[in-house]
């Protein structure tokens, strides 16, 4: 009996193995038919995870910068790797002369308080101007430029520009929704480039005029605003004819900008 019982166990195990063999043999045949779909699903899930993480990180970083100073921007990092210095001193909105806020709005974005990040009239005017002029004009708003400076990488290649332009509207809407106009202008005035290795209003005022940003005059503010389109080419402290003429025009347009001392866009 023990032997026959052991034999029965042995036979049962063998039969079970035989029953499993067809499944094992069929597995390689079925595998290739499902591998492609499974791989596609895995790739899709990974891409979805990346998008979710990127979205969460962008919202979290924007929320942090709603209150905290921006320590570095991608442009600053790139210039550092190129061997340039870094002159930057964050100051609050109240420590920047209202003349500079007024001059920058007059020069860069006259409709700053009327739009939500995109001035479509200015874009249309820029397109019409660029068709008939060799000196190209942009339609970017202060919000666009702030989003680009703080969150996006610089670059002049066609692929880089297209990729940046595709992402820029998202960050523009994000800061418009989470920061508000005063904070956007405060950040912009603290991170924008105003010369080789010179970033922000305080460093620019010290570099070009040997004074703090709070003491900038109307003329000095207009000169700084006039240099913004090409701050590595134009020197606000030693202006040429073109910058001087632009500053004259900006000074006249500053009269059309409401007093930004407390808030550049006060609610009625």
């Amino acid at each position: 009996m023990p032997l026959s019982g052991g034999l029965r166990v042995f036979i049962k195990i063998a039969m079970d193995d035989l029953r499993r063999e067809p499944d094992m043999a069929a597995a390689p045949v079925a595998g290739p038919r499902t591998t492609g779909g499974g791989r596609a699903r895995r790739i899709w899930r990974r891409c979805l995870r990346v998008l979710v993480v990127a979205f969460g990180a962008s919202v979290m970083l924007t929320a942090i910068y709603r209150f905290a100073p921006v320590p570095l921007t991608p442009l600053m990092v790139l210039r550092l790797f190129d061997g340039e210095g870094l002159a930057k001193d964050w100051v609050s909105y109240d420590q920047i002369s209202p003349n500079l806020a007024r001059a920058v709005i007059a020069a860069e974005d006259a409709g700053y308080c009327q739009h939500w990040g995109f001035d479509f009239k200015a874009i249309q005017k820029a397109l019409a101007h660029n068709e008939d002029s060799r000196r190209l004009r942009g339609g970017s708003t202060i919000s666009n430029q702030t989003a680009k400076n703080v969150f996006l990488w610089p670059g002049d290649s066609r692929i880089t520009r297209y990729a940046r332009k595709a992402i820029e509207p998202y960050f523009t809407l994000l800061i418009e929704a989470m920061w508000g106009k005063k904070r956007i202008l405060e950040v912009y005035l603290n991170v924008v480039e105003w010369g080789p290795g010179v970033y922000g209003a305080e460093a620019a005022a010290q570099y070009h005029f040997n004074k703090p940003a709070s003491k900038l005059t109307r003329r000095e503010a207009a000169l700084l605003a006039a240099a913004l389109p090409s701050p590595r080419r134009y020197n606000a402290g030693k202006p040429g004819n073109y910058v001087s003429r632009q500053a004259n025009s900006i000074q006249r347009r500053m009269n059309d900008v409401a007093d930004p001392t407390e808030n550049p866009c006060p609610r009625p």
Side-chain angles (χ1 to χ4, degrees), residues 74 124 131 140 176 193 263:
Q124 292 174 350
E131 289 180 357
S140 294
E176 282 279 348
E193 187 178 29
N263 192 325

Side-chain angles (χ1 to χ4, degrees), residues 239-262:
N241 291 333
Y242 174 76
V243 173
S244 295
R245 290 196 305 271
Q246 289 297 105
N248 292 338
S249 174
I250 291 169
Q251 277 188 269
R252 290 192 296 270
R253 284 179 278 153
M254 286 170 66
N255 297 324
D256 299 327
V257 178
D259 182 10
T261 301
E262 298 295 331

Side-chain angles (χ1 to χ4, degrees), residues 167-184:
I167 303 173
E168 186 179 298
Y170 165 73
F171 281 104
T172 298
L173 293 173
L174 199 60
I175 64 175
E176 282 279 348
M178 297 181 67
W179 289 2
K181 294 293 187 180
K182 181 177 180 180
R183 178 60 176 176
I184 291 172

